[in-house]
């Protein structure tokens, strides 16, 4: 087998929030640890972002989608070129792309599976504009092998968090009692968790909404992109009856593996729940913030604690900066669980997913399987990602 070397990788990612293209120059080591050298949040031009949101609303022609794939590729290349201008070319680029549609359902037509996902940001454009080899399109192959194509970050969570033990000054005892059982909780547009424990195979799933509904309503009622530091939520009060009603949604009861996205928590869905909302917009934001925290806590109750008890929840993604959301999460999770952030483990909150995709690309480069069937539901471990040469 080829001797592995450390590689400089620029990873590119834009999540469901579509808040920015996150670009990170990383060094990936043969032991699968990843060091972030420099990360930037590169904004989309406003007209491109608006088009992406049109795509989310299914309000876009095929011609426009075709054009958008190439335009997003150019925006991703621009983000990479900022880092290349400062640090020179990496060994290769690893690009997640921009998800515009995710359909993880086991539905068939004439025995042809309809399960599918679409990330745009044409890799050929990125390769041409940067002069670098590009590894991209990770999710498709997992779906081809029967999985949901998500969550993929669990692979990195397992590498980075498995085998950490409570008292770093002593070695784990034979009963494995010293090992920490982690819930790695990302709160992006959608919230997803990875359970990393010595007691079970790593598993993960989307717990439900992260910031999507909060962002939508903050935009609608307050004309802002997001609820900075959770200040609006902090000024309102939770409407318990509305919260109970929102918690009845069937997604929260589905057994993992499960993933979701904007197709489900869509503007139509949000407008529909707003029909029964409290009248004060501040209370709406407070309640939706509580919903994200409560659905996380309930998902742990239903799907995690029956197989493993959690010692530490490590919070990441933009939601980690929402103080009110963090306060609610502290209230709803059992007291014995310690709440940490990725920074506590030397991993950037802001660029964690970027670092994860640097690692996934590194594995593609060396032909190492980089999906976890326990998380995605795929039939087998396989090497995800396609390679586009410069
Ligand atoms: N300071 C902050 N206060 C409150 N919320 C924040 C803050 N920073 C980011 N966010 C939230 O996090 C979201 C972006 O999170 P991110 O992890 O990038 O999600 P995604 O992976 O879906 O792009 C924003 O849309 C916003 O809702
Ligand atoms: Mg983002």
């Amino acid at each position: 087998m080829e001797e592995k070397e450390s590689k400089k990788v620029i990873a590119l990612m834009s999540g469901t929030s579509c808040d920015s293209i996150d670009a990170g120059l990383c060094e990936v080591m043969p032991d699968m640890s990843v060091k972030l050298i420099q990360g930037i949040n590169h904004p989309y031009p406003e007209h491109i972002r608006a088009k992406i949101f049109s795509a989310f609303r299914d309000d876009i022609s095929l011609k426009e989608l075709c054009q958008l794939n190439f335009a997003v590729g150019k925006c991703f290349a621009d983000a990479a070129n900022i880092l290349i201008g400062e640090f020179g070319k990496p060994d290769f680029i690893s690009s997640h792309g921009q998800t515009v549609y995710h359909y993880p359902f086991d539905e068939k037509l004439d025995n042809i599976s309809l399960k599918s996902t679409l990330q745009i940001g044409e890799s050929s454009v990125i390769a041409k504009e940067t002069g670098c080899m590009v590894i991209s399109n990770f999710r498709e192959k997992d779906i081809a092998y029967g999985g949901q194509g998500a969550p993929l970050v669990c692979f990195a969570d397992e590498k980075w968090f498995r085998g950490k033990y409570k008292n770093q000054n002593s070695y784990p005892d034979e009963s494995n009692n010293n090992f920490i059982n982690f819930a790695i909780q990302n709160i992006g547009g959608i919230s997803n968790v990875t359970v990393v424990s010595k007691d079970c195979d790593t598993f993960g799933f989307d717990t439900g909404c992260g910031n999507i509904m909060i962002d939508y309503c903050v935009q609608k009622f307050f004309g802002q992109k997001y609820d900075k530091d959770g200040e609006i939520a902090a000024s309102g009060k939770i409407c318990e009856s509305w919260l109970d009603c929102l918690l009845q949604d069937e997604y929260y009861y589905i057994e993992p593996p499960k993933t979701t996205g904007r197709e489900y928590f869509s503007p139509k869905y949000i407008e529909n729940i707003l029909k029964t909302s409290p009248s004060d917009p501040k209370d709406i934001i407070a309640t939706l913030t509580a919903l994200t925290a409560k659905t996380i806590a309930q998902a742990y109750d239903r799907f995690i604690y029956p197989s493993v008890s959690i010692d530490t929840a490590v919070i990441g993604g933009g939601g980690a900066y929402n103080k009110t959301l963090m306060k609610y999460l502290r209230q709803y999770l059992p007291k014995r669980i310690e709440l940490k952030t990725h920074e506590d483990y030397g991993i950037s909150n802001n660029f964690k997913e970027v670092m994860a995709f640097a690692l996934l690309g590194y594995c593609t480069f060396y032909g190492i399987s980089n999906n976890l069937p326990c998380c995605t539901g795929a039939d087998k471990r396989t090497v995800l990602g396609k390679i586009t040469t410069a």
Side-chain angles (χ1 to χ4, degrees):
M1 198 171 148
E2 194 180 349
E3 193 63 30
K4 293 197 296 293
E5 293 169 359
S6 72
K7 292 284 174 196
K8 291 241 166 58
V9 183
I10 291 182
L12 304 169
M13 164 90 210
S14 174
T16 34
S17 300
C18 201
D19 52 325
S20 69
I21 300 165
D22 304 330
L25 173 64
C26 303
E27 183 162 15
V28 186
M29 313 296 177
D31 69 357
M32 307 254 170
S33 60
V34 178
K35 200 171 92 200
L36 179 74
I37 297 165
Q38 176 76 284
I40 54 169
N41 299 116
H42 182 69
Y44 275 116
E46 214 30 73
H47 65 103
I48 301 282
R49 188 167 188 265
K51 267 278 182 291
I52 296 169
F53 274 86
S54 303
F56 291 154
R57 288 194 305 273
D58 212 358
D59 183 17
I60 187 171
S61 69
L62 211 42
K63 174 182 163 189
E64 288 171 307
L65 181 61
C66 181
Q67 294 169 342
L68 194 58
N69 179 38
F70 277 63
V72 169
K74 175 68 168 68
C75 299
F76 272 50
D78 290 347
N81 275 331
I82 294 173
L83 290 171
I84 290 171
E86 196 174 337
F87 297 93
K89 277 191 195 177
D91 291 303
F92 54 87
I93 288 174
S94 179
S95 175
H96 171 270
Q98 174 70 57
T99 299
V100 287
Y101 210 85
H102 184 64
Y103 196 82
F105 307 107
D106 279 314
E107 224 178 281
K108 286 190 174 164
L109 188 65
D110 274 347
N111 219 23
I112 297 171
S113 172
L114 300 179
K115 212 195 255 187
S116 50
T117 192
L118 183 58
Q119 284 75 46
I120 61 169
E122 179 51 50
S123 59
S124 307
V125 175
I126 305 174
K128 190 265 165 188
E129 293 288 328
T130 59
C132 298
M133 183 175 108
V134 178
I135 299 176
S136 65
N137 298 82
F138 293 92
R139 300 192 188 272
E140 290 92 326
K141 194 167 173 201
D142 185 80
I143 292 189
Y145 278 90
Q148 301 206 353
L152 297 186
V153 170
C154 304
F155 177 81
D157 288 332
E158 174 172 285
K159 296 287 177 230
W160 298 339
F161 289 97
R162 196 155 205 190
K164 286 200 185 296
Y165 37 90
K166 289 172 187 166
N167 182 351
Q168 296 289 353
N169 298 322
S170 72
Y171 285 98
D173 62 28
E174 279 175 10
S175 62
N176 280 348
N177 280 342
N178 278 338
F179 283 108
I180 303 173
N181 290 339
F182 285 106
I184 314 297
Q185 182 67 54
N186 179 58
I187 311 179
I190 296 293
S191 286
N192 55 281
V193 66
T194 310
V195 177
V196 184
S197 160
K198 276 280 176 194
D199 301 336
C200 62
D201 283 339
T202 297
F203 69 100
F205 57 93
D206 288 351
T207 55
C209 232
N211 296 295
I212 284 183
M213 299 211 273
I214 303 170
D215 284 0
Y216 181 94
C217 290
V218 166
Q219 177 72 54
K220 180 180 170 101
F221 295 112
F222 298 92
Q224 296 166 26
K225 270 195 181 144
Y226 62 96
D227 181 14
K228 191 162 184 322
D229 302 335
E231 279 170 10
I232 301 173
S235 69
K237 55 182 187 309
I238 300 170
C239 172
E240 295 291 344
S241 59
W242 194 47
L243 179 59
D244 282 345
C245 168
L246 299 178
L247 287 167
Q248 299 312 310
D249 187 284
E250 62 180 14
Y251 179 79
Y252 307 125
Y253 294 86
I254 300 170
E255 294 268 338
K258 59 173 176 176
T259 53
T260 188
R262 277 193 186 274
E263 307 73 32
Y264 191 79
F265 294 105
S266 63
K268 203 166 138 204
Y269 179 101
I270 304 169
E271 288 297 337
N272 196 41
I273 61 165
L274 285 174
K275 287 179 190 154
T276 54
S277 72
S279 54
D280 186 336
K282 295 197 293 296
D283 298 346
I284 294 175
I285 304 303
T287 310
L288 290 176
T289 304
L291 177 71
T292 294
K294 193 93 185 190
T295 49
I296 290 170
Q298 288 191 343
Y300 289 19
D301 273 338
R302 283 179 195 141
F303 308 120
I304 298 180
Y305 305 146
S307 36
V308 56
S309 127
I310 296 296
D311 305 304
T312 303
V314 185
I315 315 296
Y321 301 111
N322 183 323
K323 293 190 181 117
T324 312
L325 177 55
M326 288 303 103
K327 190 181 100 181
Y328 292 156
L329 202 52
R330 179 63 285 171
Q331 281 169 14
Y332 297 145
L333 286 176
K335 290 287 154 292
R336 64 182 162 74
I337 294 185
E338 231 188 328
L339 276 196
K340 299 264 197 186
T341 68
H342 282 74
E343 310 282 350
D344 294 325
Y345 293 90
I347 301 168
S348 156
N349 260 345
N350 205 345
F351 294 100
K352 188 267 175 103
E353 295 212 317
V354 159
M355 292 164 71
F357 277 91
L359 176 62
L360 290 174
Y362 181 88
C363 291
T364 311
F365 183 85
Y366 279 112
I368 302 165
S369 53
N370 49 6
N371 68 332
L372 288 183
C374 280
C375 302
T376 64
D379 303 331
K380 61 169 215 165
R381 299 206 60 177
T382 185
V383 183
L384 309 177
K386 301 179 189 172
I387 297 180
T388 307
T389 51

